[in-house]
């Protein structure tokens, strides 16, 4: 079992940057593909970025490609999301996700979720 806790959310002006972190418990962190998802008010939860178990093959939603960077440190059981050039439409609760079988790109396939961290981008 994996427990996930996000941190680093907050309020930022458009064009600014934030770095989200997710700390995972357990000794099997490297057996999970990790992803970030987000959910804006009144909208469904959507995929943002994912990274493979070894830390390679990062993949991004088109809406964040070129602005966000996902990374992980298996020695520290952490996964991060560096967010640059933030836009008001990036405002959402951001969730860290762990997927034991798949690539952590589908909401329905995620095994574990963190509680989420709020990101608000003002215009």
């Amino acid at each position: 079992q994996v427990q996930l806790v996000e941190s680093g959310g907050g309020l930022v002006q458009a064009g600014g940057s934030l770095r989200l972190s997710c700390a995972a418990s357990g000794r099997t962190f490297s057996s999970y593909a990790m992803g970030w998802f987000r959910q804006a008010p009144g909208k469904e939860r959507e995929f943002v970025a994912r990274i493979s178990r070894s830390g390679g093959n990062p993949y991004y939603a088109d809406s964040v490609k070129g602005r966000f960077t996902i990374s992980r440190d298996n020695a520290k059981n952490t996964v991060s999301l560096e967010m640059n050039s933030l836009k008001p439409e990036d405002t959402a609760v951001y969730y860290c996700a762990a997927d034991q079988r798949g690539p952590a790109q589908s909401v329905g396939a995620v095994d574990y979720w963190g509680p989420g961290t709020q990101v608000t981008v003002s215009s």
Side-chain angles (χ1 to χ4, degrees):
Q1 189 170 357
V2 175
Q3 291 185 322
L4 306 172
V5 179
E6 304 93 342
S7 61
L11 173 65
V12 64
Q13 288 187 334
S17 299
L18 280 175
R19 182 180 177 87
L20 304 184
S21 294
C22 173
S25 66
R27 294 176 292 177
T28 60
F29 177 72
S30 60
S31 68
Y32 291 85
M34 298 299 297
W36 286 93
F37 293 74
R38 66 187 181 187
Q39 188 166 17
K43 296 188 177 181
E44 294 186 350
R45 193 169 298 188
E46 65 176 6
F47 166 76
V48 174
R50 60 150 167 96
I51 193 165
S52 71
R53 291 157 183 78
S54 66
N57 299 322
Y59 184 80
Y60 303 91
D62 287 343
S63 59
V64 307
K65 199 171 298 181
R67 301 187 297 121
F68 291 12
T69 302
I70 188 172
S71 61
R72 70 186 292 167
D73 185 336
N74 286 343
K76 295 181 179 179
N77 283 14
T78 58
V79 60
S80 299
L81 186 69
E82 183 75 31
M83 306 186 295
N84 298 314
S85 302
L86 283 161
K87 305 175 181 180
E89 51 263 44
D90 294 318
T91 295
V93 177
Y94 282 71
Y95 297 91
C96 177
D99 184 341
Q100 192 167 25
R101 293 169 298 278
Q105 192 170 335
S106 173
V107 171
V110 168
D111 294 299
Y112 301 103
W113 294 97
T117 186
Q118 176 71 47
V119 171
T120 303
V121 184
S122 64
S123 58

